[in-house]
Amino acid sequence: MSRYEPRHIESKWQTYWDEHETFVTSNEPKEASQGKMYVLDMFPYPSGSGLHVGHPEGYTATDIVCRFNRMQGKHVLHPMGWDAFGLPAEQHAINTGTHPRVTTYENIDNFRRQLKMLGFSYDWSREISTTDEDYYRWTQWIFLQLYDTWYDPEISWTDQNGTNRIGRGRPISELPIPEEVSKQDKQTIRDYQDQHRLAYQSNAPVNWCPALGTVLANEEVTAEGLSERGGHPVERRALRQWMLRITAYAERLINDLEDLDWSESIKILQRNWIGKSVGAEVDFFVELPSNSEATTSTTFEEWKSARKSSGLPQTPEGNVLRVYTTRPDTLFGATYMVIAPEHPLVDKIVTDEKRSEVEEYRRRSALKSDLDRTDLAKEKTGVFTGAYAINPVNGEKTPIWIADYVLISYGTGAIMAVPAHDERDLEFAQTFDLPVIEVVDSGSDDVENIGFTGQGTAINSGEYNGTPTQEFKEKITQDLQAAGLGKQATNYRLRDWLFSRQRYWGEPFPIWHELDAEGNPTGNIRTVEESELPVTLPDMDDFKPKGTPDPPLSWAPEEWLYSVAEDGTRLKRETNSMPQWAGSCWYYLRFADNKNNSNFIDPELEKYWLPVDLYIGGAEHAVLHLLYSRFWHKVLFDRGHVSSVEPFQKLVNQGMILGENNEKMSKSKGNVINPDDVVREYGADSLRLYEMFMGPLEQVKPWSMKGVEGVYRFLGRVWRLVTDEHSEEVKLSPAVQDVAMNEEQERVLHKTIKGVTEDIEKLSFNTAISKMMEFTNFYTGQDVRPKEAIQSLVLLLAPFAPHISEELWQLLGHSDSLTYAPWPSFDESKIAEAEIEIPVQVNGKVKAKIRIPAEADQAVMQKSAETNELVQKQLEGKQIVKVICVPKRMVNFVVKG
């Protein structure tokens, strides 16, 4: 008896696809092409544990789209590669003594095997890994473009749609140098340029993890101040770091979301992460203590008078505290100031009496994560510095505190606290018994002014009393600007991107540091010449962190670490490495031209393939990866290296697949399902089909082996629909005949083609599968199955279950793969039914069902209903009050008696 044996079928066709390079995509557009289609999966990290069944969900979805579009004549690009640098591989290497390069490529081999086992139609000739030297050569090149770029917020330009835009990245050579700077030496000019570069160095307060020996991003630290990986203690420490000025692009990153085909939920996540707010920057004069070296003889009134003449400076004087507030209308209610413990002004203003207390508080704050200091901080802590600022609008002396709920990385690192109208400030004021002055009248007897954070009318605000909030905001901002004491400002929650790690397994920076005669860094840097890229990782056996901030590359071989420039200057390489995010920022570009040795992508290929038409991946990358990629892409666009403003036109986040216990799959929970096991028992087509049949793509769904068995049985029914199940060998069923379809068979076929086509276009794969199941059930009951209809089913099924479809296509008499066979078309006129079934109701209750002509009018509907025996019995002896006929839907008799 001929049986469905997926193991033999699937290995046969996977070998065929490899040998015939079925899915290799030429960069030459086909003459018959219906346009290009670039479909991309989010770059996977090849871990040692391999795939679990949650991973192939998105891959299956993209594969269906690609196979469908090939059959529709599209020129399809569907590549795969590996995001293979990073902490996990290095940590594994440290634990096992195996070099990360060895384990990384072993993991890649296993991932590739599993993906091929599942029949995904990737063009493997385009495979890349971020760890390949000919790939990270161009990652380093892009870093040099960032280093060579400054952002001009005032330049005007016109985009591809003819829209006027403001703000663009420009070469550093085009940075205007102020006259007072240009008059000075070359070093001063160089320092000025360095202050404006998109890639710059900063002594930034960072999350340092001694156990892991590296700096961690805020997102990699738990609320308890532990590393997300390993649960190790994390402390705050100031280290020299490379930063990327992503904040310069904040406005464009927000605005350009509008034209993207992304779900609103993802757009909201991005907007919230960027966190735009509009308010005012206001300067407070600080009375420095007598012990301060920065003490000046200038009084508040003298300073205020001078400001009125000179206006607001770009950078405040050393005895001025600049704050950012979204509520300048509450300035009269500011009863204390709070600055971040890391604020540079702390050392200048703290009094001798408070110094030891302040230093101890700063030490404790350094041990907390940003998350612990802000959103999750239940207990309000702080220390008075002993210094006072003077409120510019009323001259009141305002005490300056330090408190860890204010971050140096947000706004100016300083706030004016208005406890009457801010919950956090009120809790702090109540904790430390500080004054509370209400300055906004809620206008309601039922709402207390203290604690009111909405808009109302000004009170206790001098000349502004009685002014509505919005009007007050605008008026006081204008008045502050006229007085040189403030200005309107836009602020973003987004921080510049901390772009260096103290690890070995990452991209080296293409940077040299100049050394003086004693071998100490001078602070000047030089870039590696483009012709000398890539800067490859040195071979090192010892790359274990020593518990200090010195990166492992610090003890690389001297011939790698040091050099001498042509002018005799001694040089030392940058020893930090790039974060894992670097390689995944631009891989979508390299896929289009991965063998190019002279450019990161050919300009004509970039124009042809980009932007990505469909990008599918997990929601865990909905913010950072997408934000970083968009930022890099915009810089490359501004510098003329790419032609599209955005990299990903349509984005879909697939829902998570949970374990059978409805919990997230993890080894610790013992609920991980290995796809190898599923394929071994049921075949790859069953796994693919089940993952799509579980529910909507974007929905969270629990795994069920019974569900896999169910779709396996369905594929068995399709097999028996086409093959002779009574034969010992695989051959065509005698029921499949080359005959014309009758009207009903034709209607079912065209209805199915239309439904499956539209469902794939909407990514509604589960409903497409249901329609094919209905088709199979119908045709299984047909004594004669027209070959044309059966061939169409095989083609419809092919994107979902390609192996069985290829086998059945061959059995139906075709010698070539169906990969590029034309997608079935449907005729709308053949879908309409000649007769339809409708219910007949009496007083709203269904009493019978009748068949009527599909286009029957109300008179025909009523007459057909009245002649039905069951209906006649219900109407007998009753008075018909009203007859309701809804065309193609129902007939209802309203009766009494």
Side-chain angles (χ1 to χ4, degrees):
M1 181 179 289
S2 169
R3 295 181 57 193
Y4 170 47
E5 298 284 355
R7 185 179 306 177
H8 303 304
I9 294 171
E10 292 174 358
S11 60
K12 167 188 171 180
W13 285 102
Q14 288 163 18
T15 300
Y16 175 94
W17 295 329
D18 274 349
E19 290 178 350
H20 289 77
E21 298 184 335
T22 304
F23 309 120
V24 171
T25 302
S26 167
N27 274 331
E28 294 295 326
K30 298 178 182 177
E31 290 182 10
S33 172
Q34 299 300 306
K36 67 92 178 177
M37 185 73 182
Y38 185 179
V39 181
L40 187 64
D41 297 292
M42 285 193 182
F43 224 19
Y45 176 80
S47 68
S49 55
L51 297 173
H52 64 63
V53 293
H55 295 118
E57 181 188 16
Y59 305 154
T60 304
T62 57
D63 198 55
I64 291 169
V65 171
C66 288
R67 289 177 177 273
F68 169 71
N69 277 279
R70 288 191 194 98
M71 296 170 77
Q72 290 203 318
K74 293 281 184 73
H75 191 201
V76 175
L77 178 59
H78 191 207
M80 176 51 71
W82 319 105
D83 185 13
F85 271 131
L87 191 59
E90 186 168 344
Q91 208 57 36
H92 178 77
I94 290 168
N95 295 338
T96 62
T98 308
H99 198 282
R101 184 177 288 106
V102 174
T103 54
T104 293
Y105 285 99
E106 285 176 353
N107 294 342
I108 286 174
D109 290 342
N110 186 45
F111 262 61
R112 187 191 306 108
R113 175 194 65 80
Q114 288 184 303
L115 293 176
K116 286 192 171 186
M117 170 191 74
L118 294 170
F120 296 131
S121 60
Y122 294 121
D123 178 356
W124 287 106
S125 71
R126 294 175 183 266
E127 180 182 5
I128 56 178
S129 171
T130 56
T131 55
D132 295 338
E133 292 176 3
D134 61 354
Y135 179 82
Y136 71 73
R137 165 193 179 183
W138 296 108
T139 307
Q140 293 170 343
W141 177 85
I142 295 173
F143 175 81
L144 293 179
Q145 306 310 302
L146 291 158
Y147 181 76
D148 185 58
T149 302
W150 68 287
Y151 191 78
D152 184 346
E154 298 178 354
I155 191 171
S156 177
W157 55 282
T158 304
D159 66 17
Q160 293 168 305
N161 300 320
T163 304
N164 189 53
R165 309 282 292 269
I166 303 294
R168 191 165 192 169
R170 298 170 61 186
I172 201 69
S173 60
E174 297 178 4
L175 176 68
I177 307 297
E179 187 177 350
E180 63 271 18
V181 175
S182 63
K183 289 179 180 178
Q184 300 185 53
D185 57 19
K186 289 183 179 180
Q187 185 62 49
T188 303
I189 295 173
R190 183 175 180 172
D191 290 344
Y192 183 83
Q193 289 178 321
D194 289 347
Q195 292 167 15
H196 290 80
R197 297 180 187 273
L198 292 184
Y200 65 96
Q201 295 182 96
S202 171
N203 284 315
V206 295
N207 302 308
W208 169 252
C209 180
L212 295 176
T214 191
V215 167
L216 301 175
N218 288 338
E219 300 74 39
E220 298 168 316
V221 181
T222 69
E224 292 76 29
L226 303 176
S227 64
E228 196 173 58
R229 181 171 294 276
H232 304 293
V234 175
E235 62 188 55
R236 297 287 283 178
R237 184 182 292 192
L239 295 177
R240 180 188 60 81
Q241 300 290 308
W242 278 99
M243 310 288 289
L244 297 185
R245 208 180 302 275
I246 189 174
T247 50
Y249 282 78
E251 193 69 20
R252 281 171 63 183
L253 288 168
I254 290 176
N255 293 339
D256 290 349
L257 286 169
E258 294 303 319
D259 296 329
L260 297 179
D261 186 6
W262 295 13
S263 71
E264 190 57 31
S265 61
I266 300 173
K267 291 182 179 181
I268 289 171
L269 284 172
Q270 293 240 324
R271 291 189 193 105
N272 289 346
W273 190 265
I274 297 168
K276 178 182 178 179
S277 63
V278 178
E281 285 184 347
V282 184
D283 282 356
F284 284 66
F285 181 85
V286 178
E287 289 188 335
L288 297 174
S290 57
N291 59 282
S292 173
E293 295 178 3
T295 299
T296 67
S297 58
T298 305
T299 66
F300 169 67
E301 292 300 334
E302 289 170 338
W303 169 79
K304 196 172 179 182
S305 176
R307 278 294 191 89
K308 190 163 187 177
S309 302
S310 63
L312 186 78
Q314 183 173 354
T315 303
E317 305 92 328
N319 62 330
V320 172
L321 194 58
R322 180 165 290 176
V323 303
Y324 170 80
T325 176
T326 58
R327 295 294 301 268
D329 59 298
T330 63
L331 263 165
F332 287 86
T335 60
Y336 65 99
M337 315 277 300
V338 180
I339 60 178
E342 306 88 354
H343 200 290
L345 201 58
V346 173
D347 290 324
K348 292 182 180 180
I349 66 173
V350 65
T351 61
D352 289 339
E353 294 80 9
K354 292 290 184 180
R355 189 172 301 279
S356 60
E357 191 178 356
V358 165
E359 288 305 315
E360 173 58 20
Y361 184 81
R362 296 174 87 179
R363 185 192 67 78
R364 294 199 308 270
S365 297
L367 301 176
K368 296 182 180 181
S369 70
D370 285 357
L371 190 62
D372 197 27
R373 285 175 56 172
T374 54
D375 296 344
L376 301 182
K378 295 178 181 177
E379 181 186 359
K380 293 294 179 288
T381 63
V383 175
F384 178 42
T385 64
Y388 292 84
I390 300 180
N391 192 322
V393 297
N394 58 12
E396 294 288 334
K397 290 180 65 172
T398 312
I400 303 173
W401 288 64
I402 63 168
D404 58 17
Y405 74 84
V406 174
L407 304 178
I408 190 65
S409 59
Y410 183 73
T412 63
I415 67 165
M416 60 174 212
V418 185
H421 305 290
D422 182 279
E423 181 180 352
R424 183 185 57 179
D425 294 346
L426 181 59
E427 290 175 2
F428 190 92
Q430 291 171 337
T431 301
F432 295 101
D433 196 25
L434 295 167
V436 178
I437 300 174
E438 53 191 271
V439 290
V440 183
D441 185 356
S442 68
S444 171
D445 294 335
D446 299 326
V447 178
E448 292 286 336
N449 288 336
I450 292 179
F452 176 64
T453 59
Q455 298 197 3
T457 306
I459 55 175
N460 299 322
S461 300
E463 63 186 276
Y464 300 97
N465 280 341
T467 308
T469 296
Q470 192 55 43
E471 183 183 336
F472 189 177
K473 281 184 179 182
E474 296 170 5
K475 183 72 169 64
I476 198 168
T477 302
Q478 292 169 1
D479 292 346
L480 287 166
Q481 186 150 347
L485 301 173
K487 66 173 182 178
Q488 182 175 313
T490 300
N491 198 43
Y492 301 92
R493 179 173 172 267
L494 179 68
R495 297 296 89 209
D496 279 348
W497 179 5
L498 178 64
F499 195 71
S500 45
R501 298 290 185 271
Q502 292 66 48
R503 299 304 295 236
Y504 167 75
W505 194 235
E507 298 92 337
F509 282 91
I511 294 293
W512 291 107
H513 293 271
E514 295 182 1
L515 304 178
D516 61 20
E518 285 73 40
N520 299 312
T522 64
N524 291 333
I525 68 171
R526 300 188 184 191
T527 58
V528 172
E529 294 294 327
E530 288 185 17
S531 60
E532 296 177 9
L533 298 179
V535 177
T536 59
L537 279 171
D539 290 325
M540 293 175 62
D541 294 324
D542 178 17
F543 42 79
K544 186 175 182 179
K546 310 299 184 188
T548 71
D550 297 318
L553 290 176
S554 299
W555 49 91
E558 287 205 3
E559 59 269 22
W560 183 89
L561 199 56
Y562 295 100
S563 183
V564 178
E566 289 184 3
D567 62 4
T569 304
R570 187 163 164 74
L571 305 173
K572 181 181 179 180
R573 288 198 190 276
E574 171 64 59
T575 54
N576 285 313
S577 57
M578 297 185 196
Q580 186 177 350
W581 301 106
S584 62
C585 274
W586 73 281
Y587 71 105
Y588 60 92
L589 288 164
R590 190 62 176 171
F591 274 140
D593 194 18
N594 66 321
K595 299 293 195 296
N596 194 329
N597 291 321
S598 59
N599 206 337
F600 79 115
I601 185 173
D602 180 273
E604 292 304 313
L605 292 178
E606 184 276 323
K607 288 177 185 175
Y608 178 72
W609 284 117
L610 272 293
V612 174
D613 296 289
L614 176 64
Y615 195 26
I616 293 183
E620 66 272 18
H621 299 301
V623 176
L624 293 182
H625 159 64
L626 291 172
L627 208 58
Y628 294 158
S629 291
R630 294 179 64 218
F631 165 50
W632 276 35
H633 193 88
K634 289 181 184 303
V635 176
L636 291 170
F637 172 82
D638 288 354
R639 294 302 305 271
H641 300 303
V642 298
S643 59
S644 58
V645 176
E646 286 283 336
F648 314 118
Q649 183 56 37
K650 182 177 178 64
L651 172 72
V652 175
N653 286 141
Q654 83 265 18
M656 186 182 296
I657 292 182
L658 306 176
E660 295 200 78
N661 58 358
N662 273 291
E663 294 182 356
K664 182 178 179 180
M665 286 192 188
S666 70
K667 286 183 179 179
S668 62
K669 294 184 173 68
N671 62 353
V672 172
I673 306 292
N674 189 325
D676 289 38
D677 299 333
V678 179
V679 170
R680 192 177 301 112
E681 186 169 358
Y682 295 106
D685 284 339
S686 294
L687 174 61
R688 292 168 58 112
L689 204 64
Y690 173 63
E691 297 224 348
M692 296 298 96
F693 191 55
M694 294 171 76
L697 180 62
E698 296 172 80
Q699 196 175 79
V700 176
K701 305 165 282 282
W703 183 264
S704 166
M705 288 307 299
K706 288 184 178 179
V708 181
E709 189 175 341
V711 296
Y712 172 73
R713 288 198 301 268
F714 162 64
L715 291 176
R717 290 199 300 276
V718 172
W719 181 261
R720 293 189 296 275
L721 182 71
V722 184
T723 65
D724 185 354
E725 59 181 310
H726 301 297
S727 172
E728 291 296 324
E729 59 184 43
V730 177
K731 65 179 185 179
L732 203 62
S733 168
V736 178
Q737 299 178 20
D738 198 0
V739 297
M741 290 176 278
N742 62 38
E743 188 177 333
E744 186 179 17
Q745 290 172 337
E746 202 168 43
R747 183 171 58 253
V748 170
L749 171 63
H750 286 265
K751 184 179 179 181
T752 304
I753 295 172
K754 179 184 180 184
V756 173
T757 303
E758 292 176 349
D759 284 347
I760 292 177
E761 289 171 344
K762 295 184 295 186
L763 307 185
S764 298
F765 305 121
N766 58 319
T767 54
I769 295 169
S770 294
K771 291 177 174 66
M772 288 186 281
M773 289 178 169
E774 292 171 5
F775 177 99
T776 302
N777 291 338
F778 171 79
Y779 271 89
T780 298
Q782 302 293 300
D783 294 332
V784 176
R785 303 162 195 162
K787 187 177 180 180
E788 181 185 348
I790 299 305
Q791 287 192 147
S792 294
L793 171 66
V794 170
L795 293 174
L796 295 177
L797 184 62
F800 298 82
H803 306 89
I804 187 175
S805 299
E806 290 273 24
E807 188 71 12
L808 294 176
W809 186 247
Q810 189 178 71
L811 191 62
L812 285 161
H814 303 276
S815 56
D816 294 332
S817 165
L818 53 62
T819 299
Y820 299 99
W823 184 256
S825 59
F826 62 89
D827 185 339
E828 195 78 55
S829 67
K830 293 181 179 179
I831 295 174
E833 297 186 51
E835 284 191 343
I836 58 173
E837 186 178 72
I838 64 168
V840 180
Q841 302 175 347
V842 177
N843 288 342
K845 295 183 178 180
V846 177
K847 299 300 182 181
K849 291 185 177 180
I850 61 172
R851 294 196 66 80
I852 62 171
E855 303 303 322
D857 59 18
Q858 293 183 351
V860 172
M861 292 173 67
Q862 181 175 339
K863 186 173 182 181
S864 300
E866 288 173 341
T867 58
N868 181 274
E869 291 184 11
L870 292 174
V871 175
Q872 286 177 347
K873 289 179 181 179
Q874 294 296 322
L875 298 179
E876 191 175 340
K878 296 182 175 66
Q879 178 186 352
I880 298 175
V881 177
K882 187 177 183 181
V883 180
I884 302 170
C885 295
V886 181
K888 298 185 179 182
R889 297 291 300 277
M890 51 84 76
V891 177
N892 182 27
F893 293 94
V894 180
V895 303
K896 67 179 181 179

